[in-house]
Amino acid sequence: YFGTSILTDSDSFQEVVVKIERPTYNKPFLGGFRNVSTGVEFHNAGSQTKPNKRPDKGIQLFCKETQTVVEKNKLQQTRNTTSTQMTKIGLYVSNMTDKLISPGKYFTAEEYHKRRLEAVIVLQKYFRRWHAIRIVQKLKEQKRLRLAWEAQEELCKKREQEEKFRREYEKKLNPKTKEDFELLYHDLALWMQEETERINQTLTGAERKAALCALLEEETELIACIGMHKINANVENQHKAMLHLLGKCAQPRRWKAYDGKITEMNTQNTLRGKELLEIYRSMCTKDIPKDERIALLLTLKCTVKQHECKLTQEIVALIDREVDLMSREVKECNLEGLRQRICTLLLQYVKIPEFNPEVAGLLKVPQDPLKLYKDIYLCHSCKNYLPSSEFPIPANSHTIGRCRSCYQLDNEARRREAYFKYRLILENLRKAEVDYQDGAKIVYLIQLPDMQYIIENIWNCQSALSARSDLYDLVMVRWNKKCEWSPWNTILLTKEEADAHLKLCNLQKAYEAPFIDGIKQKHIRAQKYFSQIPVMSSFLHRSNNQANANSYK
């Protein structure tokens, strides 16, 4: 207790006794503030007062400690008093079930541990033997699977090789495409070279000249035979191309809905294209009955009569002539020329957008004359004006030069080289570069002559690892897969070697130093050749900068 005075009026004080209760608990801190100038701390009033007591509910409450009993488990062993009865005077105890125990040999702790160690060694021997047997069996199974896989792969390769030879033989026997005729002329050139060498080595004088003349005549007959096959193939290819063109005209409009389903819609133009496709396919069909042929001609006549022009009038006149000749029982073989004329005029009819509106967007020659002045160049060989897509421009070319037809004609007459294998390698390379999705550009500047130079002069037409020379099995891939493909960042390998090469992360660890130096020498030769081309020089400098940056990293 202590006393204090408080101010009651303006000039009077009153003594008051203040009782201080010391709390038995720690006051909770409820906030406050500190005077910056004096540093005195002031707490909120709630922390300076005694908390209110809870109201008494008349129920006696106990704390947790009084409600919880601490338990403790302790093991104890009680006494058990036993006794043993022995034989004595007046008492007999049977010893039939007793055992006679004699003391054994005493052994020390060292002997005991030694015995345990020997037992452990025996267990380890048997376990290791079992484990080794399992490993050997596993290796044998892996070897068996590997040999079976290699045999299967060898069989597949053999089948692919036989299938390839069969396709090549079929192409040479029944050529249909430009690549097939390239192979024929290439084989003819190889055969001429072998025969010429044989004649020069075995014959001399007049006999040699006579043999060379006979060889020249045989070559002329073979070229004429190839020309006949080419004419037949062109007729068949034109027919297929026309059917393909009319098929596109007859295709309905298609679009993909929000739910992923494809919706098709036939328009008036597509129905017109489908009608013309059916008429053309029926007109080209041979060996049809006379009544069906007459009905077909009448249908065609009604179709072309919808548009009056000089072409339709000529078609109608030819149709009337054929119907008249058929009514006079003229033989079928004598009507072939007339029917061919009708088909030719029908082709001209379906290619006119006024009669077949869907064909307007599929023709190579644009209907607008102003478009003919764009990307049209003169071929200095055949003197024809052709679009830029008809000119194969090598990477080292500075002018337009000759068109594809002139290049092909010159190749068939003089060099007779087969670009099919190089074209196959270039197509596979471009497909592989598309999968990288890094904006590769150089691969699309490379043309067939450039690819031929790279393969023949730089890589010697063989794999850099296995030296295989079959171009059908070779592919070109990136030497460093992190950089864009280029003639100075490439390697020629087989398909299996290329797959393994692209999985490598560190080329310096995977290949030996002499092999890497040889590859770099080939890249330097490619750089020297393509650095003369203005378009390639910019890519060359960019590749060098990128390679320097990678080596710095």
Side-chain angles (χ1 to χ4, degrees):
Y1 297 89
F2 69 94
T4 182
S5 60
I6 60 175
L7 182 63
T8 58
D9 294 331
S10 60
D11 55 352
S12 62
F13 294 87
Q14 181 180 357
E15 293 289 335
V16 179
V17 178
V18 179
K19 181 181 178 180
I20 300 176
E21 293 183 0
R22 300 295 178 182
T24 59
Y25 60 93
N26 294 327
K27 296 187 296 180
F29 178 72
L30 302 178
F33 66 93
R34 182 173 63 85
N35 194 336
V36 179
S37 59
T38 62
V40 180
E41 294 184 355
F42 298 91
H43 291 178
N44 292 338
S47 63
Q48 300 175 0
T49 58
K50 186 176 180 179
N52 297 329
K53 292 184 178 180
R54 296 181 180 180
D56 189 8
K57 298 181 180 180
I59 301 174
Q60 186 178 4
L61 302 178
F62 298 94
C63 63
K64 179 181 178 182
E65 287 75 13
T66 60
Q67 296 175 356
T68 306
V69 177
V70 179
E71 296 180 355
K72 184 177 181 182
N73 296 330
K74 185 176 181 182
L75 299 178
Q76 294 183 353
Q77 186 174 3
T78 60
R79 296 181 179 180
N80 186 14
T81 303
T82 61
S83 61
T84 303
Q85 181 66 50
M86 302 297 294
T87 302
K88 64 178 182 178
I89 300 174
L91 178 64
Y92 173 75
V93 178
S94 176
N95 57 0
M96 297 300 294
T97 58
D98 293 351
K99 294 181 180 179
L100 182 62
I101 300 175
S102 59
K105 182 181 179 182
Y106 177 79
F107 55 92
T108 61
E110 294 181 358
E111 295 175 348
Y112 171 78
H113 289 297
K114 182 179 179 182
R115 183 178 175 183
R116 298 273 296 179
L117 180 60
E118 291 176 353
V120 169
I121 292 174
V122 172
L123 291 176
Q124 287 182 349
K125 286 180 181 180
Y126 282 98
F127 173 78
R128 289 173 181 175
R129 178 176 178 272
W130 171 81
H131 188 61
I133 291 175
R134 288 195 61 185
I135 292 177
V136 171
Q137 290 178 350
K138 187 176 181 180
L139 292 175
K140 286 182 179 180
E141 183 66 17
Q142 292 178 356
K143 180 182 178 181
R144 185 186 66 80
L145 294 176
R146 177 69 182 184
L147 293 177
W149 178 81
E150 289 180 356
Q152 186 68 22
E153 288 293 320
E154 191 69 24
L155 183 61
C156 291
K157 289 181 180 179
K158 187 177 180 180
R159 289 178 180 174
E160 290 178 0
Q161 197 78 3
E162 293 176 355
E163 184 67 19
K164 181 186 68 175
F165 288 148
R166 189 189 64 78
R167 287 198 303 267
E168 286 188 359
Y169 180 76
E170 186 67 24
K171 287 180 179 180
K172 294 174 184 178
L173 191 62
N174 298 312
K176 296 180 180 180
T177 62
K178 294 180 181 179
E179 290 79 8
D180 299 344
F181 288 102
E182 278 185 3
L183 293 175
L184 273 179
Y185 282 110
H186 182 64
D187 290 346
L188 179 60
L190 294 179
W191 176 76
M192 280 291 299
Q193 184 178 358
E194 293 177 359
E195 291 295 320
T196 304
E197 292 178 357
R198 183 183 62 81
I199 292 173
N200 292 332
Q201 292 176 0
T202 56
L203 301 177
T204 57
E207 294 180 355
R208 173 179 169 277
K209 292 182 179 181
L212 290 176
C213 290
L215 180 62
L216 184 60
E217 291 179 359
E218 192 172 356
E219 181 187 11
T220 306
E221 293 177 359
L222 291 175
I223 292 175
C225 182
I226 294 175
M228 291 298 297
H229 280 285
K230 198 171 186 179
I231 293 172
N232 297 332
N234 288 337
V235 173
E236 186 178 354
N237 291 336
Q238 288 177 3
H239 177 64
K240 291 181 180 179
M242 196 62 206
L243 290 177
H244 182 67
L245 176 65
L246 292 176
K248 285 186 176 181
C249 295
Q251 285 182 354
R253 303 291 187 207
R254 295 182 181 180
W255 64 88
K256 192 174 184 179
Y258 68 94
D259 55 354
K261 295 181 179 180
I262 303 298
T263 305
E264 296 183 355
M265 181 185 68
N266 284 311
T267 63
Q268 186 178 3
N269 296 336
T270 57
L271 292 176
R272 176 67 175 178
K274 188 177 296 185
E275 179 185 2
L276 294 175
L277 173 61
E278 294 298 330
I279 293 175
Y280 178 76
R281 185 181 286 121
S282 301
M283 289 295 296
C284 294
T285 305
K286 297 181 180 180
D287 300 331
I288 61 176
K290 181 178 178 180
D291 297 338
E292 293 183 7
R293 179 71 182 183
I294 293 176
L296 178 61
L297 292 173
L298 294 178
T299 303
L300 176 60
K301 184 177 180 180
C302 295
T303 303
V304 299
K305 266 190 174 182
Q306 298 176 6
H307 306 87
E308 289 292 337
C309 65
K310 185 178 179 180
L311 177 61
T312 57
Q313 292 174 2
E314 189 174 355
I315 293 175
V316 170
L318 292 177
I319 291 174
D320 294 337
R321 187 182 304 176
E322 183 179 352
V323 173
D324 182 49
L325 292 175
M326 290 177 66
S327 63
R328 297 182 184 184
E329 301 296 337
V330 179
K331 294 182 179 180
E332 295 285 337
C333 59
N334 296 330
L335 297 176
E336 290 295 331
L338 180 59
R339 292 176 178 177
Q340 187 64 34
R341 287 183 61 190
I342 295 176
C343 289
T344 304
L345 293 179
L346 180 59
L347 288 180
Q348 298 180 14
Y349 177 82
V350 298
K351 288 184 179 180
I352 298 176
E354 297 178 1
F355 310 145
N356 186 13
E358 283 293 320
V359 83
L362 302 174
L363 295 176
K364 290 185 178 180
V365 179
Q367 299 300 311
D368 188 4
L370 296 178
K371 293 183 179 180
L372 293 174
Y373 295 98
K374 298 179 181 179
D375 295 333
I376 300 297
Y377 299 96
L378 173 65
C379 176
H380 298 284
S381 181
C382 62
K383 304 301 180 182
N384 291 330
Y385 285 94
L386 301 170
S388 59
S389 58
E390 296 295 328
F391 292 88
I393 304 175
N396 59 351
S397 177
H398 299 277
T399 58
I400 294 297
R402 296 176 294 179
C403 63
R404 296 183 187 274
S405 300
C406 295
Y407 268 113
Q408 182 181 356
L409 184 61
D410 180 70
N411 183 39
E412 293 174 358
R414 298 179 183 177
R415 295 176 295 173
R416 297 176 181 171
E417 295 179 354
Y419 293 102
F420 176 71
K421 298 178 181 180
Y422 306 109
R423 185 181 294 107
L424 189 62
I425 294 177
L426 183 59
E427 290 177 356
N428 293 334
L429 175 61
R430 288 176 176 175
K431 289 179 182 178
E433 287 298 308
V434 170
D435 297 336
Y436 282 102
Q437 297 180 355
D438 56 357
K441 298 179 181 179
I442 302 178
V443 67
Y444 299 101
L445 298 176
I446 299 296
Q447 300 297 325
L448 286 178
D450 305 322
M451 182 59 67
Q452 182 184 9
Y453 178 84
I454 295 174
I455 295 176
E456 291 183 355
N457 297 348
I458 297 179
W459 296 97
N460 299 326
C461 296
Q462 62 182 9
S463 170
L465 284 173
S466 59
R468 292 186 59 178
S469 59
D470 189 2
L471 293 182
Y472 283 108
D473 297 334
L474 299 182
V475 292
M476 268 197 169
V477 294
R478 297 183 179 185
W479 168 251
N480 183 6
K481 61 181 179 182
K482 297 180 181 179
C483 300
E484 178 186 358
W485 183 92
S486 61
W488 48 89
N489 183 33
T490 184
I491 184 172
L492 187 64
L493 300 170
T494 62
K495 296 178 182 179
E496 295 81 5
E497 295 168 354
D499 294 337
H501 173 77
L502 294 177
K503 294 178 182 179
L504 299 178
C505 298
N506 192 339
L507 300 178
Q508 280 70 25
K509 293 182 179 180
Y511 298 117
E512 296 181 354
F515 179 79
I516 296 178
D517 294 339
I519 299 298
K520 290 183 178 179
Q521 290 294 329
K522 296 181 184 295
H523 291 170
I524 292 173
R525 290 175 58 188
Q527 286 180 350
K528 185 177 180 181
Y529 176 77
F530 286 97
S531 61
Q532 305 171 5
I533 305 169
V535 180
M536 287 288 188
S537 59
S538 59
F539 291 103
L540 179 60
H541 294 311
R542 187 180 67 181
S543 300
N544 291 336
N545 295 335
Q546 185 177 2
N548 294 333
N550 293 336
S551 62
Y552 177 74
K553 290 180 182 180

